[in-house]
Amino acid sequence: MTRKKLGILISGRGSNMEALLKAAQIPDCPYEPMLVVSNRPDAGGLTRAREFSIAADAIDHRTYGKDREAFERDVDGRLKEAGVQLVALAGFMRVLTPWFVNEWAGRLVNIHPSLLPKYPGVDTHARCLAAGDLVHGCTVHYVTAGVDEGPTIGSAEIDVRPGDTPDLLAARLLKAEHLLYPRCLAAVARGSAERVREDVAVDGDIIRLFAPK
Ligand code: GRF
């Protein structure tokens, strides 16, 4: 098996990145992390990536001023230099230009903390609670030019509990994200698409995964 070479873009603590790196330690994982890039030099995820012996670089978007594409060209150059074939956004807090999205079309995936198409953008947990939803979730999707709009690869659901706050809900959903993202990425790397349901119990929550096998 040739493993697809993976690049991961982050902006912060990188817990989803870590879930991807951990899954890649299993011998039959179909992707191989090559590089982590953060647009923020102080991102905690950079240190964590290096602890996994993965090359981790900061490319500070602020040094490019308003020239988003110049920043992205440098990120793109670094990814290509590392031989990356597949890019995962993991808490990467920059909207990408159509140039970058086209360059990586079909090979660029993101995890979003809502059941898309519900709640694209920010504050998803608070919006879910304000709407009185009984179910919350996360979605892994291909990235297209529209923000949080691309085709779904997989999703995971949890029940909203009485007394949930945005922070409590976010923390419980994060565990679902960590299960969902490696499965979806492995499926993209392998080229499988058919979603199957699997219920997984984690710390008192039942996580309903709808992910390709
Ligand atoms: C996650 O909730 C992810 O869904 C969203 O940003 C958050 C990043 O968290 N896109 P982490 O950096 O992976 O811990």
Side-chain angles (χ1 to χ4, degrees):
M1 176 187 64
T2 47
R3 304 171 90 197
K4 282 259 155 58
K5 295 186 178 0
L6 177 71
I8 306 174
L9 304 188
I10 64 168
S11 297
R13 65 188 163 180
S15 72
N16 276 290
M17 169 208 78
E18 190 171 337
L20 296 176
L21 298 183
K22 276 193 184 141
Q25 291 176 329
I26 297 162
D28 67 352
C29 180
Y31 62 82
E32 178 186 7
M34 305 302 290
L35 174 69
V36 171
V37 176
S38 171
N39 65 304
R40 294 196 165 272
D42 60 351
L46 287 172
T47 315
R48 199 72 191 106
R50 290 181 194 122
E51 286 164 7
F52 280 81
S53 305
I54 303 294
D57 292 352
I59 301 182
D60 189 344
H61 69 277
R62 290 168 301 188
T63 60
Y64 297 83
K66 287 195 181 350
D67 195 347
R68 302 175 84 86
E69 212 176 287
F71 159 72
E72 291 174 1
R73 282 191 189 277
D74 282 354
V75 173
D76 175 75
R78 191 64 195 88
L79 292 168
K80 287 179 180 157
E81 219 174 79
V84 166
Q85 298 167 296
L86 183 61
V87 176
L89 307 182
F92 182 67
M93 301 305 286
R94 305 284 300 162
V95 174
L96 293 162
T97 68
W99 175 77
F100 189 92
V101 171
N102 285 334
E103 198 63 23
W104 289 93
R107 301 179 298 150
L108 180 60
V109 300
N110 181 41
I111 184 156
H112 182 75
S114 79
L115 291 169
L116 290 171
K118 270 190 171 183
Y119 317 132
V122 296
D123 298 329
T124 57
H125 316 295
R127 286 155 74 197
C128 166
L129 289 174
D133 292 353
L134 299 176
V135 170
H136 191 34
C138 52
T139 308
V140 174
H141 64 97
Y142 287 104
V143 177
T144 54
V147 175
D148 301 327
E149 269 184 17
T152 294
I153 298 160
S155 59
E157 293 179 0
I158 58 170
D159 291 332
V160 175
R161 287 186 191 160
D164 261 339
T165 62
D167 284 351
L168 285 172
L169 197 51
R172 288 181 23 245
L173 185 63
L174 202 57
K175 295 175 189 167
E177 296 185 35
H178 296 165
L179 277 182
L180 180 69
Y181 209 1
R183 287 187 191 214
C184 289
L185 209 60
V188 169
R190 258 191 253 105
S192 46
E194 197 194 336
R195 271 174 247 166
V196 293
R197 174 174 169 169
E198 188 183 338
D199 292 1
V200 182
V202 178
D203 302 334
D205 262 315
I206 301 291
I207 297 172
R208 296 182 290 279
L209 289 165
F210 301 87
K213 269 274 181 199

